[in-house]
Amino acid sequence: MTSKDPRPIRVLVVDDNPVVRTGLTTLLESGGVQVVGEASDGAQAIELARHACPDLVLLDVRMPVMDGVTAAGPLSGLAKVLMLSYDSDAEVIGAAIRNGAAGYLVHGAFGAEELVAAIVDTVADRSSPLSPQASRAVVAALREGPGDRQAAEAPPADRRADLGLSRREAEVMDLIARGRSNGEIAAMLVVSEYTVKNHVNRIFAKLGVRARGAAIACWLGTADSPPRS
């Protein structure tokens, strides 16, 4: 690499199966991603993330000591979190997203290049990667999550007023909740991707969140709304 080359994305791989961890590490490194550590449970992942400072944590769900859904909360404050699991249960997916996961991939639903692309897009805030199983389940799971069900079913106009979003920001947020990437949103709204990114940044600031998953939870009413000034 030359001094002009961008810094490789730093990833922490978390899975209780050592064979899976080794396979993922080999796959990611062959795709130009730097694996800065491996962990076998959520608690170990949090400790390693504090020291290794990864850009993204690739996180399994079913693990001993601390499961991935529980760990997604504290980890999302340290790095982007992308769930990677064999578990396609709607309630699990919804809980992971509510806890701050930026995306959810199910093993067997993607190839090596797609995984690397999902990691790159997640770190760059370009999309919220969801496998087909997760995409079908996530909105329904979030709507059925704990909290005020009536608020979760409120129409977008009411959510826009509650959250202080402009009409255009509400349009963008609705498309984010449908799993659309920034590029797809730009094409649908006939604006530049740069404009969409600016909208997303303003939405995140108004909602007081840093990840698309947390923004979706606010939009659907399954997380506390930010205080109004």
Side-chain angles (χ1 to χ4, degrees):
M1 291 176 59
T2 68
S3 59
K4 294 183 180 180
D5 290 329
R7 179 177 68 85
I9 292 174
R10 296 163 55 85
V11 171
L12 174 63
V13 175
V14 186
D15 196 292
D16 63 328
N17 187 326
V19 176
V20 172
R21 292 200 307 272
T22 299
L24 286 172
T25 297
T26 300
L27 184 155
L28 295 178
E29 290 181 340
S30 67
V33 174
Q34 181 182 2
V35 176
V36 296
E38 298 179 14
S40 59
D41 61 69
Q44 185 182 27
I46 294 169
E47 185 65 23
L48 284 176
R50 287 174 178 152
H51 296 287
C53 299
D55 299 307
L56 180 141
V57 179
L58 201 57
L59 186 62
D60 187 23
V61 171
R62 307 291 183 183
M63 297 181 293
V65 184
M66 180 185 290
D67 64 87
V69 172
T70 301
L75 282 171
S76 65
L78 300 170
K80 297 292 178 63
V81 174
L82 180 57
M83 308 302 295
L84 177 60
S85 175
Y86 288 100
D87 198 326
S88 59
D89 181 83
E91 292 186 5
V92 172
I93 295 169
I97 297 297
R98 285 194 299 273
N99 278 1
Y104 196 110
L105 300 179
V106 177
H107 281 291
F110 55 87
E113 292 183 359
E114 292 172 307
L115 176 58
V116 172
I119 290 172
V120 172
D121 286 346
T122 300
V123 172
D125 279 328
R126 284 197 292 263
S127 69
S128 182
L130 296 170
S131 292
Q133 301 97 316
S135 182
R136 289 191 295 268
V138 64
V139 173
L142 284 169
R143 288 185 185 277
E144 294 298 326
D148 186 348
R149 180 173 178 144
Q150 183 176 1
E153 295 175 349
D158 290 346
R159 295 304 300 155
R160 174 167 62 87
D162 291 344
L163 300 174
L165 303 183
S166 69
R167 183 177 299 277
R168 177 60 95 182
E169 288 166 352
E171 290 176 340
V172 171
M173 188 60 243
D174 187 55
L175 291 171
I176 289 173
R178 297 172 188 272
R180 301 293 186 178
S181 69
N182 286 359
E184 290 172 328
I185 294 172
M188 295 174 75
L189 299 182
V190 196
V191 297
S192 71
E193 191 168 343
Y194 177 80
T195 297
V196 173
K197 187 171 184 179
N198 283 339
H199 283 312
V200 172
N201 288 339
R202 286 195 291 270
I203 290 168
F204 282 14
K206 289 182 178 181
L207 301 186
V209 301
R210 296 194 300 171
R212 292 169 95 92
I216 292 170
C218 285
W219 177 247
L220 295 180
T222 58
D224 292 336
S225 300
R228 300 294 301 274
S229 58

